[in-house]
Structures are given as C-alpha cells and as structure tokens.
Amino acid sequence: MQKPCTCGAVASHGKPKSRGTCCYRVCEEPVLAPYMPSHQGCYPCPQCPRCLILACMVHLQKISNHLDLLKVITTDPQEKQERDKRFAEMAFGGDVEKMNGIYQDTTFLGMTRA
C-alpha cells in the first residue's frame, strides 16, 4: 500500500497523493530511468522496481565484460549518447581520466572487431 505524502497534497481524484508521486522522489538525478520510457523525472512508475531490472542487467553485463563497454559510442543516436554519457560519468566518477575519458576509443573497437 502506498503511503500518503506528509505535505497533505490531494490528487485530482480527491485522494491524498502518494509519497512517490509527490514530495518523495526515488533519486536526485535519474541515471537508469532515462532508459525506461515509463519513467518521468525521478518519480517511480507503477512497475517499479521491476521495470529497471533489464536496464540494470545490461549495465552489469557491460561492467563484467569490459569497462570500455560503458563508454559512449559516438556513432549512436544523440539521445542514446546523452543517456550513456550520464551513466558513464556516474560509473567512472573521479576516475574518468584513468579510463581515458567517457568516449570509446575507435582503435579499441578496431582491435575487438578484427
């Protein structure tokens, strides 16, 4: 059961707004939510947290295979590049320089596809 928000806000149907749709956000800056079309901002969708399982599994697989797979591919569509950039910045944190940036090196890709 969803708890009513402590601010006392009322939804359009007359019932109190739930905490997840009012003042209590799931996160400050969504990182995985942009991969899911059902999420708007930091608010949970009706399927949370099940909706993020596939996105989490994809990113965990990339981490376990090679960290360079988390980097942004410059040939991807701009929208995907923005999502991947945010995730890479979050994942690498202060170690971005050690990883030679957040964009994939084309020579690395050439070696793996040879």
Side-chain angles (χ1 to χ4, degrees), residues 93-105:
D95 296 327
V96 172
E97 294 82 26
K98 292 178 184 176
M99 295 299 299
N100 295 323
I102 60 170
Y103 294 96
Q104 282 191 351
D105 184 10

Side-chain angles (χ1 to χ4, degrees), residues 1 5 12 20 36 39 42-43 46 53 69 77-78 81 83 86 103-105:
M1 182 176 151
C5 188
S12 60
M36 308 306 297
H39 280 260
C42 289
Y43 297 106
I53 290 174
L69 296 174
Q78 188 64 33
Q81 286 184 41
R83 289 191 313 251
R86 288 184 68 187
Y103 294 96
Q104 282 191 351
D105 184 10

Side-chain angles (χ1 to χ4, degrees), residues 65-83:
N65 286 333
H66 199 287
L67 288 177
D68 254 24
L69 296 174
L70 292 178
K71 292 184 176 183
V72 179
I73 301 172
T74 56
T75 57
D76 280 346
Q78 188 64 33
E79 184 179 313
K80 184 173 184 324
Q81 286 184 41
E82 289 299 319
R83 289 191 313 251

